Amino acid sequence: MAGGSDSDLIAGEPRGDLLRALSYVETEDGPDGSYIVNGDLPPEVAPPFIRAIMRIEAELLLHDAEHVTVDSGEPRSPEERRTDAFVALALRITDDT
């Protein structure tokens, strides 16, 4: 489904719901040049947003599982994977809109 319709599904959730949830997310500069992500999502948009992040995180976990070695262990930490899932979700939500 191309064209940015609100009926598009992103990570199993309606794009419109995810866009609304994303509107409640803010970033601020961290002390070390990183970004801090904050969001106070209302109850009606939080569950779809969380489910979508979890689904993308699961995709990343499966990808990471293929790259685990004795020498290097896991390619990223759970925190890094969750952050990468958030960024991937934000990019998917805004793609083709």
Side-chain angles (χ1 to χ4, degrees), residues 1-89:
M1 292 180 213
S5 167
D6 282 346
S7 64
D8 289 346
L9 294 180
I10 308 296
E13 302 295 333
R15 182 188 304 265
D17 290 351
L18 298 173
L19 276 167
R20 183 164 176 233
L22 199 56
S23 73
Y24 291 92
V25 174
E26 298 177 351
T27 61
E28 61 183 81
D29 293 333
D32 59 355
S34 64
Y35 288 101
I36 299 168
V37 178
N38 297 306
D40 188 15
L41 281 62
E44 64 272 12
V45 296
F49 193 73
I50 293 167
R51 287 191 300 262
I53 287 177
M54 291 176 74
R55 287 183 185 113
I56 295 172
E57 190 176 5
E59 292 172 14
L60 297 176
L61 182 61
L62 290 171
H63 177 267
D64 287 358
E66 298 298 321
H67 295 89
V68 171
T69 66
V70 172
D71 295 330
S72 63
E74 287 189 56
R76 60 186 139 192
S77 71
E79 293 81 15
E80 291 169 327
R81 194 167 29 254
R82 173 65 52 104
T83 300
D84 291 346
F86 171 79
V87 171
L89 178 59

